[in-house]
Each structure stands twice: as structure tokens, then as C-alpha cells.
Amino acid sequence: MDSRRLLRTSATALAAAGLILSGCSGGSDAAASRTTAPAAPASPSAAPDLKKFYDQKLKWRDCGVEGFQCATLRAPLDYAKPDGEEIELAVSRVRATGPGKRLGSLLVNPGGPGGSAVGYLQGYAGIGYPVPVRARYDMVAVDPRGVARSEPVECLTGPQMDTYTQVDQTPDDTAEINGLGAAFKGFAAGCEKRSGQVLPHVSTVETARDMDVLRAVLGDAKLTYVGASYGTFLGATYAELFPDRVGRLVLDGAMDPSLSALDLNRDQTGGFETAFRAFAADCVRMTDCPLGTGSVEAAGEAMKKFFRDVDAHPVPTGESRKLGESLATTGVIAAMYDEGAWPQLREALGRAMDGDGSGLLALADSYYEREADGTYANLMAANAAVNCLDLPPAFTGPADVQKAVPSFEKASPIFGEGLAWAALNCTYWPTPPTGRPHRITAEGAAPILVVGTTRDPATPYHWAQSLAEQLSSGTLLTYEGDGHTAYGRGSDCIDTAINTYLLEGTPPQDGKRCS
């Protein structure tokens, strides 16, 4: 259950760029979705009380991962009180390999929010980014505050998380509505109990300010950055705060910061419908398609019937957890991020329809970052903490959700109801939001490259169009294809355009399209 988030799939690990807002995003009504951006604060590096952070020296050490070094960056817990409590942020790097002149540091973030940037660097970016890019840049990552190795937000135990992820997110009556609300309240209470001190200070604005401290400590006059999914919102926020320090920013799988959470969640619901229809169109051409070999519409009806069936009669998985509707839906959504996972989904669906839910459960577990021993990474906790702080809640209570369900079902007949109810959880969050939806223009910034995929399930293509239009120096690069994000997914056209921008500083022509 709960909001659908980051999925790690396939060899490239670029599904670590997965973002889903449903259930943890906040937001206000549509009238508030086009408010003016707040004024950027004065340059933190010029503030005497932040000097100790900007002047710190990193002590690099061996990470235990061949080729990588690690260090700890200090930052104020509260930038309004820089002489108060401090937090420690995990940083990792791999040095430029050469040949060619070193261009500085390239910071990477895989999205989420809640994805470990250090894990992404060491597991993929630092070894899998194009060779010419790694030759010229030190590849660097910092786990954002509240995430993984950086003062991680903690909420529930592993067994509690198992229960939480199985709560019915398509409630049929008052008792089930109350049960879902109680689950969200329990999750929020656990976060407050175990991580109350850090909860008010994990906003995207604060993480962007941490990135500027890291930029200075690394000795770079400008920030060079590749952010995917939620990482595009983080990158755009940095550009808003520090437009004069923008170097080469790639925002891949872009978010639209001007939208309320209600609009974001509903748009994203439509994105998953688009992705499912692409999967279904592929599936019905296969003789082993468990959704039949007829039309896409018939496949959609078969999918909805399957969800109803497992809601009424959960399927065994070979362990104590059974596959109910919530875990089954998560498993299907997980495979929407990368078309390379479609064969796995076909097999898992077929097995589940024959009474073995283990394949879909494995997909759901990978999505939630659940380990075989029953422990969870802090992905879901950090995701909720950041999203619920960045925007006001989408709904004030269950009655609001019930009114919104028809519009969500219009966006996606298959996923709409569940994703509408998933967007309720920030309603019960213990820390009030500090952000608001607004347009980001970043006046004065160097050219920023915004990348959108036409059938992206998690960050719909029109979000990239909107962000590129908002940014005063935005350039839009389009990938006509499936899956979440575009860089490193097999399009030479996309990769060449991004590599040229990173290595030479020249963005592609605005509006360039690749397939």
C-alpha cells in the first residue's frame, strides 16, 4: 500500500531514478498551483555564520567499494540557526579517469525523494555513465538529509512495514476507510517518535542548500549536476536559489514545480495509465499474455478483474505474506518504470492468476526496497518526510478523496481509485509543510537541459514541457519512447546530446526529439 515510489530494476539501475508522488506528495488546490515563487535567500556563502560550513575540508577515506572514496559533510540542521545543531551527510566520489582535462565535479541524484545518491553512484553512475563523461569529471554523490546514510528518517519496524504495505487502498466501506486512515496515522506517528528532530528539516530547499555547501567544499565555482525524476525538482530548486552558480544542469524525467499535489498525483495517475496501455499493447501480441490476446481495452478489463479477485481472495506467495490487491498493484506499477521489465511482469501475472503470487510480490518488494530478511531501506520514510514537507496535503480528509476518485479514475480506470486514496497520507503528517507550488524561472542561470520521455509513467511528459518553459534558460530534449527517464536507456541520440552538453557546455537545439 502507500505511495508508490522508487524502483530499482535492470542492470543500469536507472530505475533508481524512479519517483512517484502518490500518497506522500502534498499540495493545495488548483488555484494555488500557479503562485509566485518565493524570493531566493541571500547568498549563503556570503553569510558569516555559514562560513564554517563552506570552508570545511572533507576527509576522504576508502569506502570499501573499489575505486570509490567516502567523506562526511557537515551542515546545519536548521539553516535559520547555523550555530545550532549540525547534521552529517554521507558523500562519495570516484575520481576522473582521464584522458583529457578534468572539468570538475559532476553531482548525481537518482530521485525518489528518498533514493540513495551514494548507492546510485557506487552501483551505477560511477561505473556506468558514458566513459567520456567519467574521464573528465569526478563523479560525486551526497545522500540527501533524511536519506540512507545521512541522518535517515525512520518510522516503522520491518514487520510493521509488512503490515503497512498490505493495507487495502481501495476501501469498500467505512470500516476499511477508517483502517486506511489509521494506517497513515500510525506511520506518521512512528516517524515523529523515531525521527522527530530531523522531520522539520528535510525539505528540498534545505537539501539544495546542502548541495551548494558541497559544491564550494569540492572547489567548484559552478554546479554541474544530473538529476533524475525528483532529482529534477531538486536541481530546479538549486537553480532558483543560486542561479549565478548554475553550471551544466541535466534534469531528466522532469517534475513540474508549479502544480499542487492534487494535480501532481492525478497527472501521475494518468502517466501510469499511459504506461500500462503501452505494456498491454505489447502483451496482447504475445501468446503468453495473461491478459489475453485481444484489445488493449480488454487487457485493461482483465487487469481490473485480477485486482478485484486478489482483493477478495489474496493469493499465496510461499511465505506468510499473501498477495492482496495493494501488493499486486505495487508489483504491476513497479514494472511500468522500464519496458525491460515487461516480460517479467507477464510471467509474474500469469503465475499469480494460477495461484502463485511470488513473482508480483518480488516486484513489489524491490519497489519498496525490502530485503530478504524482512528489513526495509528508509526509502518510504524519507519519501513521505520530504514530500509532506515540500507541499501542503492534497486532501483534508476521506470525504475529499471520495469526491476526487472519479477524476482519478478518469485519468486511469485501472489505478485511479488506489492512487487517489494513497494521496491521503500527508493529511496526517505531524510536521507542517514549509513549501508551496510555484513556477521556477531561475532568472540569470546558464542554459539548463530538461529531458522528457513521451510515455514516462512517473513523470508525465507535459511536466518536462512545463518546466522547460518556466526556466528562463530551459532547453527541452524529448525522448519518444517508454519508461522512466531517458539518459543511458539505449538512445544514442539522447546520450550524445547530453554528453555533448556535459563535456562542451552546448545544449541541443530547444525542442530536439530522439527515439
Side-chain angles (χ1 to χ4, degrees):
M1 63 154 291
D2 190 48
S3 31
R4 324 295 189 204
R5 297 296 162 221
L6 184 76
L7 168 68
R8 287 184 179 156
T9 64
S10 71
T12 64
L14 49 82
L19 156 96
I20 303 209
L21 298 168
S22 307
C24 286
S25 261
S28 57
D29 60 23
S33 68
R34 297 286 174 178
T35 56
T36 302
S43 171
S45 61
D49 51 3
L50 290 172
K51 183 176 175 58
K52 64 180 179 180
F53 298 107
Y54 276 83
D55 289 347
Q56 67 184 291
K57 304 297 182 184
L58 294 179
K59 297 180 180 179
W60 294 102
R61 61 187 184 277
D62 181 72
C63 285
V65 179
E66 185 177 357
F68 292 88
Q69 297 175 305
C70 288
T72 301
L73 180 76
R74 293 182 297 108
L77 175 66
D78 183 349
Y79 274 92
K81 300 176 182 178
D83 292 327
E85 295 288 331
E86 296 182 2
I87 59 174
E88 295 185 342
L89 308 176
V91 181
S92 184
R93 75 176 179 186
V94 58
R95 303 304 297 267
T97 58
K101 181 181 178 181
R102 178 182 174 276
L103 294 175
S105 306
L106 172 57
L107 193 65
V108 296
N109 182 280
S116 171
V118 170
Y120 177 70
L121 176 75
Q122 295 176 355
Y124 170 61
I127 56 177
Y129 264 37
V131 171
V133 173
R134 290 187 286 118
R136 305 287 298 280
Y137 285 102
D138 291 346
M139 301 287 294
V140 181
V142 54
D143 276 348
R145 49 177 62 207
V147 174
R149 302 163 181 84
S150 295
E151 308 285 347
V153 173
E154 302 291 348
C155 299
L156 301 179
T157 65
Q160 289 172 330
M161 283 294 298
D162 280 347
T163 300
Y164 183 63
T165 59
Q166 295 178 73
V167 174
D168 190 346
Q169 284 198 149
T170 56
D172 299 316
D173 53 36
T174 300
E176 290 188 351
I177 290 173
N178 291 340
L180 180 58
F184 287 146
K185 292 174 184 177
F187 184 86
C191 299
E192 184 176 31
K193 179 180 179 180
R194 300 179 69 181
S195 301
Q197 184 180 26
V198 73
L199 281 188
H201 301 293
V202 294
S203 70
T204 298
V205 166
E206 289 162 304
T207 295
R209 298 186 73 168
D210 295 338
M211 290 203 308
D212 195 58
V213 173
L214 179 58
R215 172 205 58 77
V217 171
L218 292 171
D220 295 316
K222 306 276 187 178
L223 178 72
T224 300
Y225 172 81
V226 176
S229 202
Y230 160 79
T232 67
F233 179 47
L234 179 57
T237 299
Y238 181 91
E240 179 182 36
L241 296 173
F242 312 106
D244 59 326
R245 300 174 200 174
V246 169
R248 302 168 187 177
L249 265 59
V250 178
L251 309 181
D252 184 13
M255 286 182 61
D256 182 351
S258 73
L259 297 178
S260 70
L262 178 59
D263 290 333
L264 286 167
N265 280 289
R266 195 159 40 204
D267 280 1
Q268 192 175 63
T269 298
F272 282 107
E273 182 71 17
T274 297
F276 175 80
R277 290 183 65 84
F279 161 73
D282 179 74
C283 185
V284 297
R285 294 196 295 265
M286 308 290 179
T287 57
D288 64 344
C289 179
L291 301 177
T293 55
S295 66
V296 170
E297 288 71 22
E301 290 301 319
M303 188 78 264
K304 288 194 291 183
K305 181 180 183 301
F306 169 74
F307 287 149
R308 290 194 301 269
D309 289 346
V310 295
D311 185 30
H313 303 288
V315 177
T317 63
E319 59 167 273
S320 60
R321 292 178 299 157
K322 288 189 174 183
L323 185 79
E325 184 181 15
S326 290
L327 286 172
T329 302
T330 301
V332 172
I333 282 178
M336 295 297 99
Y337 280 83
D338 184 351
E339 64 272 27
W342 290 356
Q344 182 183 357
L345 177 58
R346 285 200 311 274
E347 179 183 0
L349 273 173
R351 288 168 58 188
M353 290 176 178
D354 288 336
D356 176 7
S358 59
L360 279 179
L361 182 64
L363 281 168
D365 283 351
S366 70
Y367 197 77
Y368 287 134
E369 295 195 347
R370 183 188 190 273
E371 301 298 334
D373 63 2
T375 60
Y376 287 74
N378 91 309
L379 170 66
M380 290 175 65
N383 189 281
V386 175
N387 281 331
C388 294
L389 197 59
D390 275 350
L391 292 171
F395 301 118
T396 62
D400 283 352
V401 182
Q402 290 173 314
K403 292 176 184 177
V405 163
S407 66
F408 275 73
E409 289 184 321
K410 181 178 181 181
S412 174
I414 296 171
F415 306 115
E417 182 183 7
L419 294 183
W421 282 104
L424 181 64
N425 81 329
C426 283
T427 302
Y428 308 110
W429 200 247
T431 304
T434 56
R436 292 291 185 277
H438 62 274
R439 294 174 62 85
I440 292 180
T441 60
E443 295 288 344
I448 297 173
L449 183 56
V450 179
V451 187
T453 298
T454 55
R455 294 185 294 278
D456 192 312
T459 52
Y461 175 63
H462 65 87
W463 288 0
Q465 292 176 301
S466 180
L467 180 59
E469 183 274 328
Q470 291 172 46
L471 291 168
S472 63
S473 60
T475 294
L476 179 63
L477 174 64
T478 298
Y479 173 53
E480 296 178 345
D482 298 292
H484 185 40
T485 72
Y487 190 35
R489 290 182 58 85
S491 169
D492 289 339
C493 174
I494 289 287
D495 291 354
T496 298
I498 293 175
N499 293 344
T500 299
Y501 171 66
L502 289 174
L503 295 172
E504 301 176 12
T506 305
Q509 182 178 359
D510 187 30
K512 180 178 176 63
R513 302 181 75 89
C514 297
S515 59

